[in-house]
Amino acid sequence: MTKFITGFHSIEEKVRALKDDKNQKEIKIYYSKAGPRVKKILEAAKETSIKVFQKTEAELDQMVLELDQALRDHRGIVMEIPNNQKKTANLVDFDSWIKIHSQDKDKHETVVILDRITDPHNVGAILRSCDQFGASLVIIPEHKSASDIAGNEVIGRTSAGASAWVPISIVTNVVRAVEELKEAGFWVYGADAGGETCGQIEFAKKSVIIMGSEGSGIASLLSKQCDSIVSIPTCGKIDSLNVSVAAGVLLYELYRRQKIQ
């Protein structure tokens, strides 16, 4: 079994993530016409052992036929990856990560927890913001979440390739992970309505932002672990922001404050 990746950003970032791994003989790139963006990707692929093949547009169309409708617009290039590919390097073990990152108490670090966020479009958009605003780690529960980061083409494409770079931990018990973060000196902020506005909170140098489910918000057990609930002041007529937009706003606020300190 194989999977196919489309989208310039997703393919380009996947190639970049594999540039130091010379044992990628089973990965292939297919293209129809070598336009400027495609040429750039093909040149990067030459630095690895990724094989490149020219195909017709019809052949590329056939390859992506089983993908979601939004992913079938291949723009003339498709990457094929076997399902037995090893996990990407940005998928990290949480216990190992916390041991390393608990040592420097003065370093600014932001951890984002995605609690039961099942829409891969939202996960991808949040990962893109995490990349742009310097999140140190994203934690995703193994169950009841869109946790197939390496194998989900929607996440890869929506994140514009950030899913290959942002450090991500898939955990079985997110409450235990939060407890360990708190023991390591992190302060935990749950994003929800009715809390203190983000402009008024003095965020800690080591901060955890919990983004809750699209429908029901943060789980009760996880909410009890929060040191504070943070809200984003708005003026619209609908009741709330999309979870990925809210995550981007909060991540920017933390990033902005780190830059002026």
Side-chain angles (χ1 to χ4, degrees):
M1 291 291 293
T2 60
K3 64 180 180 181
F4 295 100
I5 296 176
T6 60
F8 291 137
H9 280 300
S10 295
I11 295 175
E12 190 171 15
E13 294 304 325
K14 187 67 176 178
V15 171
R16 287 179 59 196
L18 295 170
K19 70 178 181 179
D20 294 325
D21 190 340
K22 303 301 182 183
N23 190 28
Q24 301 296 340
K25 296 180 180 179
E26 295 181 350
I27 296 178
K28 301 179 180 67
I29 290 178
Y30 305 98
Y31 72 99
S32 56
K33 296 179 181 178
R37 292 294 299 275
V38 172
K39 281 184 179 178
K40 183 179 178 181
I41 294 171
L42 298 182
E43 288 171 4
K46 288 179 182 178
E47 299 177 9
T48 72
S49 57
I50 296 175
K51 295 181 180 179
V52 175
F53 302 90
Q54 189 166 18
K55 298 285 185 179
T56 66
E57 284 284 317
E59 288 173 318
L60 296 185
D61 291 342
Q62 188 64 34
M63 287 180 188
V64 302
L65 200 58
E66 299 300 319
L67 297 181
D68 290 344
Q69 183 66 43
L71 301 175
R72 295 178 194 169
D73 181 17
H74 50 72
R75 308 286 295 280
I77 188 165
V78 175
M79 174 179 271
E80 180 184 7
I81 301 180
N83 278 340
N84 62 358
Q85 268 312 107
K86 64 181 182 181
K87 291 183 178 180
T88 54
N90 64 309
L91 292 177
V92 301
D93 177 71
F94 174 73
D95 291 330
S96 300
W97 187 93
I98 197 69
K99 288 178 182 178
I100 296 171
H101 291 261
S102 62
Q103 297 173 5
D104 189 348
K105 302 296 183 182
D106 294 323
K107 183 180 179 182
H108 280 287
E109 293 195 279
T110 301
V111 174
V112 178
I113 295 178
L114 308 185
D115 176 35
R116 300 171 302 151
I117 297 178
T118 57
D119 186 340
H121 294 91
N122 281 333
V123 173
I126 292 171
L127 290 175
R128 187 171 185 173
S129 292
C130 287
D131 172 69
Q132 290 298 293
F133 299 126
S136 303
L137 180 70
V138 175
I139 296 175
I140 301 176
E142 184 177 8
H143 304 292
K144 297 181 180 180
S145 296
S147 59
D148 182 19
I149 302 299
N152 194 306
E153 292 87 353
V154 175
I155 292 176
R157 189 159 185 173
T158 309
S159 73
S163 59
W165 296 103
V166 176
I168 299 168
S169 284
I170 310 299
V171 301
T172 56
N173 190 328
V174 70
V175 173
R176 184 184 70 83
V178 171
E179 291 172 345
E180 290 189 35
L181 285 163
K182 294 177 77 170
E183 290 174 4
F186 284 82
W187 284 69
V188 181
Y189 305 91
D192 207 348
E196 192 174 359
T197 63
C198 58
Q200 297 173 333
I201 289 181
E202 291 294 331
F203 289 100
K205 285 186 176 180
K206 291 184 177 294
S207 294
V208 177
I209 302 294
I210 301 179
M211 306 304 302
S213 163
E214 297 98 331
S216 56
I218 301 171
S220 177
L221 287 176
L222 201 53
S223 182
K224 291 177 181 178
Q225 293 291 329
C226 295
D227 296 301
S228 182
I229 299 297
V230 58
S231 301
I232 300 170
T234 58
C235 62
K237 293 180 174 60
I238 59 174
D239 59 353
S240 65
L241 294 170
N242 171 275
V243 65
S244 64
V245 175
V249 171
L250 292 173
L251 284 165
Y252 171 72
E253 180 66 14
L254 283 163
Y255 175 77
R256 182 187 68 82
R257 294 192 190 191
Q258 291 172 12
K259 284 298 184 181
I260 63 178
Q261 289 181 0

